[in-house]
Amino acid sequence: MIFVEYDRERAVEYAKKWALGRNPEYYDYSGIGGNCTAFASQCVYAGCGIMNYTPDYGWYYIDGNDKSPSWTGVEFFYAFMTNNTGEGPFGEIVRLNTALPGDIIQLANAYGKYYHTVVLTDIVRRRRGTSYYVCSHSRDAYRKNLFSYNFYDFRCIHISGARSEE
């Protein structure tokens, strides 16, 4: 396996370009459960360019009907990114203060159910504190302050890079 560096700038660029629109190369799942994790997957793919085509347990998109559960499902995305030892992107859970633009944040409700995936695009440090801005789909947002969302908990998935068999 060859290690491939994650291009955070490309991931963030993609997130900002398509936050309030839809890339016609991808199916829009907004009307059938939400498009937030599919959008995050598109951003991660823009930053690494490598998919994992393992049936059921991989991370890939061929078309609207032929994609892995991890491409569109909040929990499946998390499981793939934090457990992947094969081809494709991989990551780890980190504290918010160590997250970087291009990383993924997932929001949870009071029952511990993670329900929304956003892409961290900007970190602004000021004397009075740090602000974190995200882009997302389903609840389309462009550079929205993370803490303006109504959530009970969150987790940050730091994308460490990707692996390629080529």
Side-chain angles (χ1 to χ4, degrees):
M1 290 271 172
I2 299 167
F3 175 79
V4 177
E5 194 161 327
Y6 182 53
D7 189 336
R8 295 178 177 286
E9 284 182 31
R10 283 190 62 166
V12 168
E13 212 172 85
Y14 185 95
K16 289 180 177 180
K17 178 178 181 176
W18 293 106
L20 301 177
R22 300 298 187 266
N23 182 337
E25 293 181 23
Y26 295 99
Y27 184 80
D28 180 5
Y29 299 95
S30 295
I32 54 170
N35 203 56
C36 65
T37 304
F39 175 67
S41 287
Q42 292 170 36
C43 296
V44 171
Y45 182 66
C48 73
I50 301 167
M51 293 186 188
N52 179 315
Y53 292 96
T54 305
D56 300 324
Y57 300 105
W59 177 79
Y60 62 89
Y61 177 92
I62 296 170
D63 63 40
N65 293 313
D66 191 0
K67 46 86 184 159
S68 64
S70 60
W71 187 268
T72 55
V74 175
E75 290 295 343
F76 294 110
F77 179 93
Y78 165 78
F80 177 83
M81 290 297 164
T82 59
N83 294 299
N84 181 29
T85 58
E87 192 166 37
F90 60 95
E92 63 182 325
I93 296 300
V94 297
R95 296 172 57 94
L96 181 60
N97 65 355
T98 61
L100 299 171
D103 285 342
I104 305 302
I105 299 172
Q106 295 185 319
L107 310 180
N109 64 23
Y111 303 102
K113 178 177 174 34
Y114 286 87
Y115 64 89
H116 193 46
T117 304
V118 300
V119 180
L120 180 60
T121 57
D122 297 277
I123 301 170
V124 178
R125 291 181 170 77
R126 298 185 180 98
R127 260 189 265 155
R128 294 182 308 174
T130 303
S131 296
Y132 299 89
Y133 296 93
V134 300
C135 289
S136 72
H137 276 187
S138 295
R139 298 177 190 141
D140 291 7
Y142 177 83
R143 290 194 77 240
K144 181 175 179 171
N145 188 310
L146 175 64
F147 292 102
S148 68
Y149 282 92
N150 183 20
F151 59 90
Y152 185 79
D153 198 7
F154 66 92
R155 61 187 174 205
C156 302
I157 304 170
H158 172 73
I159 306 300
S160 305
R163 295 181 196 91
S164 174
E165 292 181 0
E166 297 177 12

